[in-house]
Amino acid sequence: MKGSYKYIKKNVFIAFVIYSLGIALGVLIYKNKTLDMVPQRLGIAAIFLNNIKTAFLILIVGLITVGIGSALLMLINGAVLGGAVMGVVNAYSFKPIISGILPHFMFETIGLAIFTAISFESLKLLLNVITKREMQKVYLKKDLFLIFCGTVFLLLAAIIEGTVSRV
């Protein structure tokens, strides 16, 4: 849908920054720790279901908490990933990260960032109500299209994680 990316790009960028901060936090916490790998082979459907549940949790919590909850969930999600990456790197090297996480990382991150960005819409509505500033519009059609796009990214991530990614 025309204009959807422009409409949401600032919020997607904010979501990426929050997720990146979480990854950095996880790396710092696990700087000198190791993690044992327990490789699991999950099917595409199970991976997608997990990803989409996470995405809708982020969306719903964020809408209810004017984005604060979704930002916190993205920070935690990033910290868990950063800690896992650092712990595995310390124990085994970068090889498991390159083969197990890197192939699907961007697709999953983009999908989750889109859901997080949409969850910030309730903040726009709140600010419209409590301030005297010019009203910012919330475009439901664009939000629904972006939910579809985020879902497609998460589906692509699940397909890649279930077929290409190997630890």
Side-chain angles (χ1 to χ4, degrees):
M1 174 175 284
K2 189 176 181 183
S4 294
Y5 174 72
K6 184 178 179 187
Y7 166 67
I8 204 83
K9 74 178 180 181
K10 184 173 95 177
N11 289 350
V12 169
F13 177 74
I14 291 167
F16 273 119
V17 168
I18 293 167
Y19 193 61
S20 299
L21 289 172
I23 291 172
L25 179 65
V27 167
L28 288 173
I29 291 170
Y30 274 81
K31 184 172 64 171
N32 297 314
K33 298 178 183 171
T34 61
L35 285 178
D36 290 328
M37 288 190 315
V38 183
Q40 294 180 337
R41 292 302 309 155
L42 296 174
I44 294 168
I47 295 166
F48 177 68
L49 187 60
N50 181 59
N51 288 347
I52 206 71
K53 282 195 288 188
T54 302
F56 275 98
L57 177 67
I58 287 170
L59 177 64
I60 292 166
V61 168
L63 287 171
I64 293 169
T65 64
V66 292
I68 296 167
S70 59
L72 186 59
L73 287 170
M74 278 297 273
L75 186 74
I76 292 168
N77 198 351
V80 168
L81 176 62
V85 166
M86 197 70 225
V88 168
V89 167
N90 288 339
Y92 301 98
S93 82
F94 276 101
K95 189 173 189 270
I97 304 307
I98 292 169
S99 64
I101 293 177
L102 215 50
H104 68 277
F105 172 77
M106 281 311 296
F107 293 100
E108 191 169 326
T109 302
I110 291 168
L112 292 176
I114 289 171
F115 276 86
T116 303
I118 297 165
S119 79
F120 295 154
E121 292 291 89
S122 59
L123 179 60
K124 270 189 205 174
L125 292 174
L126 179 65
L127 291 174
N128 286 343
V129 170
I130 63 174
T131 66
K132 302 276 190 231
R133 70 183 185 148
E134 184 179 331
M135 295 288 271
Q136 288 191 9
K137 292 181 182 177
V138 174
Y139 297 97
L140 188 57
K141 271 174 131 176
K142 288 182 181 178
D143 288 336
L144 291 174
F145 177 72
L146 288 163
I147 288 172
F148 171 76
C149 291
T151 302
V152 169
F153 275 105
L154 293 175
L155 178 60
L156 290 171
I159 291 168
I160 294 167
E161 185 175 354
T163 59
V164 176
S165 296
R166 300 274 185 248
V167 177

